[in-house]
Amino acid sequence: MGARWVLAILGACIVALAVLAILGACIVVLAVLGDVEKAAEAPDIWNLGRERNIPAGFSALLLCVAGGMSLAYGYTDRQADGTAKLMGLFLFTMAFDEFVAIHERPEDITGIPWPLFWLPVIAVGVVLGIGMLALLPRPADRLWLGGALGWLCAPVLDIVHEAVAPQGDPVREAISNVEELAELAGSALFIAALLTALQISATRARIRSARARGSTTRRSTDPRSDPTRAPR
């Protein structure tokens, strides 16, 4: 399956999650208007900003897939060996954090935006991401860059919604949803980039193998290379 098909399928899933999140928000609003007590009973499984629900699980799954593909790329491309494997482990760590939202715990305790606490982790991700960008072939590198930009939107938008809207404000909720959608789009682009890189790597391996077989065949059919041929 090509990267375009993968992006189309994952894009459709992300759009579906966005629609379900909007419907869930509408249910909460209607519950508040009708009965405040029912607002607490409104379904929260589609809320993009919550942890341990369907969107969080889907986001973690995408990161796990990207992490596995990055490890695979590290094993298939010698030049990308160390960087790609470290990137894979980093993506697995991100997947766990995305599902349980460890990065938000310091913010809950102190009220200070989580990106300030998470700067060392973000720095590690940026270094590994730049390393991958330099190693990936074109057009995989462009897809990777798009994914990185999607994920870099997260800390920026988090600081923005902290600055422009108080807790419970619909504007804050809207910005938070955009942040989560940007992360999902970034993960989808990571997967497309690594799939493209793996396909290019496999094609290059087949070409090298074919050339090696052709070279062996030419040597075996060349009379000058026949060890049984008596010298003149």
Side-chain angles (χ1 to χ4, degrees), residues 127-220:
V127 171
L128 289 173
I130 292 174
M132 288 293 291
L133 184 64
L135 292 169
L136 290 171
R138 188 162 293 182
D141 56 349
R142 296 177 180 178
L143 293 168
W144 183 267
L145 180 60
L149 292 175
W151 268 96
L152 286 174
C153 284
V156 175
L157 289 175
D158 192 274
I159 293 174
V160 168
H161 79 58
E162 289 282 350
V164 303
Q167 192 74 30
D169 192 303
V171 174
R172 182 190 181 100
E173 186 74 17
I175 296 175
S176 177
N177 287 339
V178 172
E179 172 193 337
E180 298 299 328
L181 291 173
E183 291 177 359
L184 289 169
S187 298
L189 286 167
F190 281 161
I191 291 172
L194 290 165
L195 175 61
T196 302
L198 286 168
Q199 289 175 336
I200 292 173
S201 180
T203 301
R204 289 175 177 173
R206 285 195 298 269
I207 292 172
R208 286 194 297 267
S209 179
R211 287 176 177 174
R213 286 197 301 269
S215 178
T216 303
T217 302
R218 283 194 299 273
R219 286 197 301 269
S220 63

Side-chain angles (χ1 to χ4, degrees), residues 105-118:
R105 298 295 181 263
E107 181 176 344
D108 294 338
I109 296 172
T110 64
I112 300 172
W114 65 264
L116 299 179
F117 290 99
W118 226 243

